Amino acid sequence: MRPSAKPSVAKSPTTKSRRRVARAAPPKPYHHGDLRRVLIEAALQLIGEGGAEAVSVREAARRSGVSPGAPFRHFPSRDALIQAVAEEAQRRFRAEIEAALAAAPASDPLGRFRCLGLAYLRWAMRNPTHFEIISSRRLFDHDQSAAIASDNAELIALTEQTLAEAFAAGQLRSADLKQVQIAGRALVYGFARMNIDGHFTRWGVAGPEAERTAEAILDLFIEGIASRPRPA
């Protein structure tokens, strides 16, 4: 009888060959659990660095580490991406205001109105490019976004309610709450716009001083609409 052949034993690859195999293996495709959110974050960064003009779907894709065609299932155009970015900026803006109001005493509605205005100013000045995209109609049609329209309507209603409570508590001089509301909005929007357009230097207001100036001007406005105590 012929001796039975020894079973062949496969030799394990050496460390060098394993490294060669690892290098030869194709890279795994990049995967996002939520590509839409990642693209919006990338576009927000682009706006923060160079304004809305710096945003493109292709550049947002590059920042997100995906192929140029990947974003188009979520954003078929640049306008769609800009709208989504504006909605996210609006959500953050509203969250800032709600957080400020949550810390304000419910028993002082005029104080709450001041907190609302101060939160508006601080967020707008710390996020000027994001504020511009939610406030300027030249960038996209705000009326086409149900989320932004709803948020704006609710913030206006919140301001109206706060002023109505302040008037009922005897804290306001004027009963024309619509005029007070428009004047307050013009103040905070105008100040934020001056910051975006770089007007403060001609007024001698340095960068770090701008927020303190904003608070002081808001206090002047609050003092002007507050009721005066009647003389004895």
Side-chain angles (χ1 to χ4, degrees):
M1 294 179 60
R2 295 175 56 188
S4 58
K6 293 182 180 180
S8 61
V9 178
K11 294 182 179 180
S12 61
T14 64
T15 302
K16 186 175 181 180
S17 64
R18 280 198 300 267
R19 286 177 181 167
R20 188 180 300 116
V21 170
R23 282 197 298 268
K28 293 182 179 180
Y30 193 90
H31 175 70
H32 281 301
D34 187 355
L35 179 57
R36 186 179 191 277
R37 179 187 58 78
V38 173
L39 289 166
I40 291 172
E41 287 293 335
L44 281 167
Q45 290 176 8
L46 289 168
I47 289 173
E49 294 167 8
E53 293 76 10
V55 176
S56 70
V57 179
R58 180 176 293 273
E59 181 59 21
R62 190 189 71 78
R63 289 274 181 111
S64 303
V66 297
S67 67
F72 286 96
R73 74 180 69 176
H74 300 287
F75 305 112
S77 66
R78 179 181 181 275
D79 287 346
L81 178 59
I82 289 288
Q83 178 172 320
V85 167
E87 290 171 353
E88 174 61 19
Q90 178 78 17
R91 186 193 66 76
R92 297 182 185 187
F93 174 55
R94 178 171 177 174
E96 184 88 1
I97 289 176
E98 289 177 344
L101 288 177
S107 58
D108 181 11
L110 187 57
R112 290 172 61 80
F113 179 70
R114 178 186 181 276
C115 284
L116 194 157
L118 192 56
Y120 184 113
L121 282 167
R122 284 177 174 167
W123 190 89
M125 297 180 73
R126 293 172 186 177
N127 304 275
T129 52
H130 296 171
F131 176 75
E132 183 171 25
I133 201 170
I134 66 174
S135 61
S136 175
R137 289 184 173 270
R138 71 179 178 82
L139 299 174
F140 79 103
D141 186 357
H142 288 61
D143 294 333
Q144 295 301 311
S145 171
I148 289 179
S150 174
D151 265 359
N152 280 330
E154 289 176 12
L155 286 174
I156 289 172
L158 177 62
T159 308
E160 289 174 347
Q161 178 185 347
T162 305
L163 287 173
E165 291 172 359
F167 182 73
Q171 293 181 311
L172 294 180
R173 297 174 60 187
S174 174
D176 193 338
L177 303 184
K178 185 175 181 179
Q179 280 194 356
V180 174
Q181 183 175 9
I182 292 174
R185 181 61 176 263
L187 173 70
V188 293
Y189 176 82
F191 198 94
R193 191 72 237 180
M194 286 178 70
N195 180 54
I196 289 173
D197 294 339
H199 288 299
F200 289 140
T201 52
R202 74 182 65 170
W203 294 90
V205 177
E209 191 183 351
E211 279 196 27
R212 294 193 296 271
T213 303
E215 186 171 359
I217 288 175
L218 180 62
D219 285 338
L220 278 176
F221 177 75
I222 296 295
E223 183 181 349
I225 65 174
S227 60
R228 298 287 192 271
R230 294 182 179 180

